[in-house]
């Protein structure tokens, strides 16, 4: 067992988190993560309505007795989803841990705190981590530049970012982005983190509710097979390289605007990639950590193997490096 401030304060067996994943973070993903003793998050906005989220929470509870959380991603949108209603659905369902991401959690903190909910805010810079801490979050999850999804605009990789955050942040830190195995877990602990958060690695498990072809593509891919879209719009997102992401990059690089790529980047097309396994259908999110992924284990095998190998690295491999002279 590896015990950290995170495992104690969040009452989780292992210092491993499965962060929110649009279209992937459903009951089928989260329940086995909870059963394996890690902390999984349903993704609120994967559900079309707050009522559907309430049902998804209930469905997850039918699949596991262990606690799990809900991710609430706040992103710029022309017609934003009803965030206050999703928040109410989370609170009324009795969820005890929330992962916020995308934008400051300030508007949501009073209601979550009044309900006694622990909030982990996921961000991409030390300044945002400090800001979240000042708002009263219970932990920060910090995504390095390697991560799948939104790495922010600072382009600071996790090796620097986590260590820089650990110098200043006082609440527990969850290192996120680029972590897919025991080596990443041990490295994150060495940098000063109290746990790790993984997205891409959990996508590539037996239970992840996405098409087998997506999982096999992740296994076959390298660290070079992701690209950054929306750079010129300052809303960068790391996705898989395919014809659609290449086209989006080209159009924006040539001076195009969001309206010129709107149809290509439609969320529904990304959802169809996961449903049909047609890898060229739309944008799909994946991180550079796919380079480290060589198999499609069950969630339980993944979590238990990661912890066992991390213990072996710490006490078997690293311990003996220290010699008395
Ligand atoms: C398919 C996919 C969808 C994601 N969707 C979201 C999301 O909706 N909200 C969010 O906060 N993070 C989202 N993320 C980011 C993950 O929660 C996590 O921060 C990230 O995957 C960490 O990097 P890694 O993939 O290298 O482990 C997504 C990641 C993936 C792989």
């Amino acid at each position: 067992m590896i015990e950290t401030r995170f495992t104690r304060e969040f009452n989780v067996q292992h210092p491993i988190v499965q962060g929110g994943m649009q279209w992937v973070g459903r009951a089928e993903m989260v329940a086995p993560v909870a059963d394996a003793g890690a902390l999984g998050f349903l993704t609120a906005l994967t559900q079309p309505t707050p009522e559907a989220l309430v049902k998804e929470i209930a469905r997850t509870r039918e699949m596991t007795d262990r606690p799990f959380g809900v991710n609430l991603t706040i992103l710029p949108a022309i017609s934003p989803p009803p965030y206050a209603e999703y928040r109410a659905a989370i609170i009324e369902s009795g969820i005890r841990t929330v992962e916020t991401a995308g934008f400051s959690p300030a508007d949501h903190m009073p209601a979550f705190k009044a309900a006694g909910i622990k909030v982990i805010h996921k961000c991409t810079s030390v300044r945002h981590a400090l800001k979240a801490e000042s708002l009263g979050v219970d932990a920060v999850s910090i995504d390095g530049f390697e991560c799948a999804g939104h790495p922010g605009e600072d382009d600071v990789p996790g090796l620097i970012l986590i260590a820089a955050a650990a110098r200043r942040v006082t609440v527990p830190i969850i290192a996120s982005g680029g972590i897919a195995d025991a080596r990443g877990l041990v490295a994150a602990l060495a940098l000063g983190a109290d746990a790790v958060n993984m997205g891409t690695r959990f996508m590539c498990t037996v239970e992840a509710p996405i098409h087998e072809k997506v999982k096999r593509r992740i296994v076959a891919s390298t660290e070079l097979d992701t690209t950054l879209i929306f750079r010129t719009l300052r809303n960068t997102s790391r996705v898989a390289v395919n014809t659609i992401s290449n086209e989006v990059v080209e159009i924006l690089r040539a001076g195009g605007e969001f309206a010129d790529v709107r149809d290509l980047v439609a969320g529904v097309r990304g959802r169809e990639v996961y449903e049909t396994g047609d890898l060229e259908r739309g944008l799909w999110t994946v991180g550079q950590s796919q380079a480290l992924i060589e198999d499609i284990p069950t969630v339980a095998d993944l979590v238990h193997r990661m912890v066992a190998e991390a213990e072996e690295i710490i006490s078997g491999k690293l311990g003996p490096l220290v010699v008395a002279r």
Side-chain angles (χ1 to χ4, degrees):
M1 294 283 284
I2 296 179
E3 196 183 282
T4 68
R5 195 147 73 102
F6 171 80
T7 62
R8 285 191 298 273
E9 293 184 15
F10 284 79
N11 203 17
V12 185
Q13 214 174 340
H14 305 301
I16 299 176
V17 177
Q18 168 257 307
M21 284 188 275
Q22 183 67 338
W23 310 130
V24 185
R26 306 170 188 270
E28 288 78 5
M29 178 84 265
V30 174
V33 171
D35 280 341
L39 180 59
F41 285 93
L42 288 175
T43 307
L45 300 185
T46 292
Q47 302 303 321
T49 61
E51 295 74 32
L53 176 60
V54 170
K55 288 196 185 127
E56 190 70 359
I57 293 170
R59 202 165 72 85
T60 313
R61 286 198 177 120
E62 281 166 19
M63 295 166 71
T64 181
D65 296 333
R66 302 265 190 113
F68 57 89
V70 175
N71 164 288
L72 187 64
T73 301
I74 311 147
L75 287 175
I78 297 153
S79 46
Y83 284 116
E85 289 169 35
Y86 276 100
R87 185 181 70 217
I90 293 168
I91 294 171
E92 282 155 26
S93 295
I95 288 293
R96 307 310 301 152
T97 313
V98 163
E99 178 188 63
T100 55
F103 195 71
S104 168
D107 289 352
H108 304 282
M109 286 303 288
F112 285 142
K113 287 286 109 185
I117 291 175
K118 279 192 188 292
V119 178
I120 299 173
H121 182 63
K122 191 165 64 191
C123 55
T124 58
S125 69
V126 177
R127 66 186 182 285
H128 288 145
L130 291 170
K131 174 73 187 163
E133 185 174 85
S134 76
L135 292 170
V137 302
D138 300 282
V140 286
S141 195
I142 309 184
D143 262 323
F145 188 49
E146 309 89 328
C147 74
H150 292 268
E153 309 304 322
D154 293 345
D155 303 0
V156 181
L159 196 60
I160 310 292
L161 191 56
I162 301 304
R167 282 211 306 226
R168 299 181 59 196
V169 171
T170 56
V171 293
I173 296 174
I174 302 162
S176 182
I179 297 157
D181 57 27
R183 295 168 299 181
L185 169 56
V186 175
L189 296 175
L191 292 172
D194 304 282
V196 295
N197 176 48
M198 303 190 297
T200 302
R201 178 65 270 198
F202 278 114
M203 271 175 99
C204 207
T205 55
V206 170
E207 295 93 335
I210 57 174
H211 201 282
E212 184 74 17
K213 277 190 186 164
V214 180
K215 301 177 191 178
R216 280 197 244 123
R217 172 59 68 88
I218 293 175
V219 170
S221 293
T222 77
E223 66 277 22
L224 301 178
D225 298 318
T226 73
T227 189
L228 297 169
I229 57 163
F230 300 153
R231 290 246 82 170
T232 53
L233 306 177
R234 292 191 63 76
N235 184 24
T236 300
S237 185
R238 188 180 293 285
V239 296
V241 171
N242 65 9
T243 45
I244 306 280
S245 58
N246 285 340
E247 205 178 331
V248 171
V249 169
E250 284 297 310
I251 292 171
L252 294 176
R253 198 178 276 159
E257 293 175 6
F258 184 74
D260 302 318
V261 296
R262 190 191 306 268
D263 291 343
L264 288 172
V265 307
V268 63
R269 294 179 69 140
R271 192 181 72 200
E272 285 169 9
V273 171
Y274 300 130
E275 282 170 5
T276 66
D278 176 358
L279 298 163
E280 302 295 323
R281 175 84 194 113
L283 296 176
W284 57 281
T285 305
V286 75
Q288 292 180 323
S289 66
Q290 62 182 347
L292 310 175
I293 297 174
E294 292 173 341
D295 60 0
I296 308 171
T298 64
V299 168
D301 282 350
L302 171 67
V303 170
H304 297 147
R305 176 176 79 191
M306 210 166 145
V307 173
E309 288 181 5
E311 288 168 359
E312 171 55 26
I313 293 172
I314 295 166
S315 18
K317 192 172 172 190
L318 298 181
L321 295 182
V322 181
V323 289
R325 287 226 187 273

